[in-house]
Every structure is written in C-alpha cells, then in structure tokens.
Amino acid sequence: MKFGCKRKTLFPNKVINLSATQRKEIHKRFKDFLKSQGLRETRERKVVLDAIYETHEHIDADELHLHLRQQGHAISRATVYNTLNLLLRCELVVRHQFGNSQAKYEPSFLFGQHDHLICLDCKKVMEFCDPRIQSIQEMVADAYSFEIKRHALNLYGHCQRPECAGRAST
Amino acid sequence: MKFGCKRKTLFPNKVINLSATQRKEIHKRFKDFLKSQGLRETRERKVVLDAIYETHEHIDADELHLHLRQQGHAISRATVYNTLNLLLRCELVVRHQFGNSQAKYEPSFLFGQHDHLICLDCKKVMEFCDPRIQSIQEMVADAYSFEIKRHALNLYGHCQRPECAGRAST
DNA sequence: ATAACTGCAAAACATTTGCATACAG
DNA sequence: CTGTATGCAAATGTTTTGCAGTTAT
C-alpha cells in the first residue's frame, strides 16, 4: 500500500535541501507523535531530529552523538539512542544493518524509497531505485499470505572509484 | 557471474538432506581452503562445519555453541566464532543480519541462492526466490560501474500463521 | 619440534537500563 | 507541582582478543 519507486531511472529522487514548509511538516509529525504517546517534547529530541535531517549520509548513533557534542550540545549517548528509537517508531527515520554490527540511520519522511549498494572495500554506501522490487514484494506477499511493511535490498561488491583503495580479503 | 535463481516458482530449491558425495565435496572445499591458507584442520572446525550443514534453520553463534555442547562436544564459544569466520571466508556459509543485532548463519554451498521474509511479530524467517533480483543486480552493477558479489533482500512484515501470536508495536 | 589452535576469561563494542537530578506540561 | 526525560555510569548482549596450555603437521 505504501508508495514505492515508480520511476524508470535507477537513481533515487532524494530531496537534498528541505524547504521551510517541509521542515515544519517534519516537526509537526514528531510533535503529534509525542503528544499521542503522552511523551514530552524536549530540546534534545528536537536537536536529534534536526541533526538527522541535516545529515544526508548514513550515520550511526555514535557519529550522531559526536556530531551533536561538537556543535556544543550537551547531549548524552543514551538520549541519542532513546530519541532514535522514538523517531523509528513514528517512521521519521529508518535503520539499516549493512553487514557490520553497527546500525546506520537515515531520514525517511519526504524522501523516496530506495535501496543500497555497499562497497566491501571502502564501505561507501550508494543508493538506487528499482520499481521491480515493488512487484516482487507484492508477489511474495501474495504467495506467502504475508503483509509486507518494508524491505531492504543491499547489494555488496567492489566500487570502481579511484579513491577506493581498500582491499579487504586476500 | 554467479548462478542466480532462474526458476519461475518463488520457492527456493533448497537441498535438505545431503548425499555422501555432497558431504565429501563440502569437506574437501573446507580442507582445501585451510591448506591454501596454511591453517590446520582440527576436530572442532570439522564439527562446526557439520553442525551448520545439519541445521536447516537460520542459527546464531550462541545457539550453535549450545547445540554442540548438548551433543557432548567440549567446544568454546570463541572457537565457534572463529570457525564461522573461516567458513564465511571460504564461502561455505553466509551471515545474515535480520534487523536485530544478532547475526544468523546459514550454509550456502550447494544450496540455491534465495532471499528472506521475516515476521516482525514471531521473528520467523521464510525463504523465497525471484529471478528478477538477478536482473536488478546486473542493471545496477552496470549503471554504477560496480562489481556485485552478493545481495541480501529482506522483506519485513506480518505473517498470517495461526501460531503467530506476537504483537510488537502499539 | 614447533607454530598454530583451543578454552577460558577478559576486553571490546554497541546498545539499554537504573537512578538521582532537571525540567516540560 | 508532578511525573517524565536527561546524564551518567553501570549493565547487558554479542563478538573478539590475549594468554597458557594443547595439538596437528
């Protein structure tokens, strides 16, 4: 039922800079969620939300914590983790596990659905988009009587970028 | 270049019981790998390999360790982890991260390539197979000049099995 | 014989939890 | 005011590492 990637191109239609209206929409969604759950709207929670939406990379909780500390926010790691879980629950961010044990987070609201290409050497993560995944999803849902909420397709390999010098295995 | 899922059916062609010949082939592959790397062939390593190929489920390192202890093998957790990493390197097993932080392992040699359907409620993992993933992979590899080695497509949702009583979110 | 492997325990790493204090509603 | 959130540190859970003793080659 969710909107999938309908375009012919492989490249995802990711919004890079949010307009003031979009920013407000995001804030509203979080505020409404917190109110609906009887949770408080704190400075720290807003700061985490904004930081995630400013970062156009796949970031982990610790990087996010460090980033916020460097910006002068006296926020603890525990609060970062706590807030990330709230943002997951209201679907403002998504969590990825790219093979390593550390989870990566990414804003999801207003951004197109997409999948990932991960370089095994330099660990760079790229994004792509293919409408066929949507039909695979529907077909599998039907065959298995499964109500599918989301998917993750990760392609692992070796990128050809000259900057990629990494070599992992023998 | 790797053989993908070419069949029309969604259900993967997983071999359930290995023949003596297949078992020998697997052992040989491990033995050759160990020799090529100057590593030793120990009782513990063989035991882990056999246990993984006996288990037709997605198993984590700790479950595997427990299983082996219950069978009377005095093997340590460290050795289980060490051996799993060796088996990954010689491509006899694959590792999955199904959302939770715990990695799951599965035999991969002689078994068909397939993807996974994960129930968010009861955590049951099912397998499916779709040839279109192969073409998506090829198309993306081409568009991004990426040499793709493997992929993981996970579909998350709610299964309709009567035994599935779990309810996670509000 | 000897270099690598094992088991154990400790370390490392990511994430969660408990508790006293701070602050939103 | 009141109860929830925060920061800190300690706890948890998973995987890795160091070391002394064991074993494959």
Side-chain angles (χ1 to χ4, degrees):
Chain A
M1 215 50 60
K2 276 197 141 176
F3 64 95
C5 174
K6 298 287 197 300
R7 350 172 71 201
K8 277 292 184 295
T9 163
L10 282 167
F11 305 97
N13 49 341
K14 191 160 183 174
V15 179
I16 294 300
N17 287 307
L18 296 171
S19 69
T21 317
Q22 290 175 318
R23 198 163 288 269
K24 255 178 207 148
E25 204 176 336
I26 290 160
H27 284 160
K28 186 179 185 313
R29 190 187 174 89
F30 194 29
K31 188 173 191 146
D32 290 349
F33 167 75
L34 290 173
K35 177 159 276 181
S36 78
Q37 303 285 305
L39 301 172
R40 290 182 185 167
E41 194 184 13
T42 65
R43 189 180 347 92
E44 289 82 359
R45 288 177 176 172
K46 277 187 278 189
V47 158
V48 170
L49 173 59
D50 285 341
I52 281 267
Y53 272 81
E54 267 164 30
T55 310
H56 307 305
E57 294 295 323
H58 302 84
I59 196 170
D60 64 58
D62 209 47
E63 285 166 349
L64 185 54
H65 176 236
L66 197 70
H67 176 75
L68 290 171
R69 297 296 280 228
Q70 285 172 344
Q71 301 219 330
H73 298 286
I75 194 169
S76 75
R77 198 171 315 199
T79 301
V80 171
Y81 276 104
N82 170 35
T83 307
L84 284 172
N85 285 330
L86 295 177
L87 292 171
L88 284 172
R89 281 170 55 195
C90 64
E91 295 178 354
L92 279 166
V93 313
V94 285
R95 174 165 52 194
H96 301 289
Q97 299 264 167
F98 295 134
N100 35 5
S101 54
Q102 200 170 200
K104 297 276 186 182
Y105 297 84
E106 186 182 33
S108 60
F109 191 61
L110 297 176
F111 291 162
Q113 190 179 286
H114 60 264
D115 290 282
H116 299 94
L117 201 53
I118 301 111
C119 177
L120 295 167
D121 300 321
C122 64
K123 315 296 176 199
K124 186 172 168 62
V125 177
M126 284 171 266
E127 299 178 354
F128 71 92
C129 204
D130 196 300
R132 281 171 292 186
I133 296 159
Q134 190 65 19
S135 22
I136 291 173
Q137 216 172 274
E138 282 158 19
M139 188 187 262
V140 175
D142 197 54
Y144 283 83
S145 310
F146 215 90
E147 184 202 346
I148 296 176
K149 302 299 278 187
R150 62 192 173 83
H151 77 261
L153 172 56
N154 297 331
L155 306 182
Y156 298 93
H158 305 287
C159 77
Q160 309 295 316
R161 302 180 312 131
E163 313 93 280
C164 175
R167 270 193 351 103
S169 54
T170 314
Chain B
M1 215 51 61
K2 277 196 144 178
F3 65 95
C5 173
K6 297 287 196 300
R7 352 172 71 200
K8 277 290 182 295
T9 163
L10 282 167
F11 305 98
N13 48 340
K14 192 160 184 175
V15 178
I16 293 300
N17 288 306
L18 297 172
S19 68
T21 317
Q22 290 175 318
R23 199 163 286 269
K24 255 180 206 148
E25 204 177 336
I26 289 159
H27 284 161
K28 185 179 184 315
R29 190 187 174 90
F30 194 30
K31 188 175 191 145
D32 290 350
F33 166 76
L34 291 172
K35 177 159 274 181
S36 78
Q37 303 284 305
L39 301 170
R40 290 180 185 169
E41 193 184 13
T42 66
R43 190 182 343 95
E44 289 81 0
R45 287 177 177 170
K46 277 186 278 189
V47 159
V48 170
L49 173 59
D50 285 341
I52 280 267
Y53 271 81
E54 266 163 32
T55 311
H56 307 305
E57 293 297 320
H58 303 84
I59 196 170
D60 64 57
D62 208 47
E63 285 165 349
L64 185 54
H65 176 235
L66 197 69
H67 177 76
L68 290 172
R69 298 294 282 229
Q70 285 172 343
Q71 301 221 328
H73 298 286
I75 193 168
S76 73
R77 198 170 314 199
T79 301
V80 171
Y81 277 105
N82 170 37
T83 307
L84 284 172
N85 284 330
L86 296 177
L87 291 172
L88 284 171
R89 282 170 56 195
C90 64
E91 296 178 352
L92 278 166
V93 313
V94 286
R95 173 165 54 194
H96 301 290
Q97 299 265 167
F98 295 134
N100 35 3
S101 55
Q102 200 170 201
K104 297 276 186 183
Y105 297 84
E106 186 182 33
S108 60
F109 191 61
L110 297 175
F111 291 163
Q113 191 178 284
H114 59 264
D115 290 283
H116 299 93
L117 201 53
I118 302 109
C119 177
L120 295 167
D121 300 321
C122 65
K123 315 297 176 197
K124 186 173 168 61
V125 177
M126 283 169 268
E127 300 179 353
F128 71 92
C129 202
D130 196 301
R132 283 172 291 186
I133 295 158
Q134 191 65 20
S135 21
I136 291 173
Q137 216 171 275
E138 281 158 19
M139 189 187 261
V140 174
D142 196 54
Y144 282 84
S145 309
F146 215 89
E147 184 202 347
I148 296 175
K149 302 298 279 187
R150 62 192 173 83
H151 77 261
L153 172 58
N154 297 332
L155 306 182
Y156 299 93
H158 305 287
C159 78
Q160 309 295 317
R161 301 180 314 131
E163 312 94 279
C164 175
R167 270 193 352 102
S169 52
T170 317

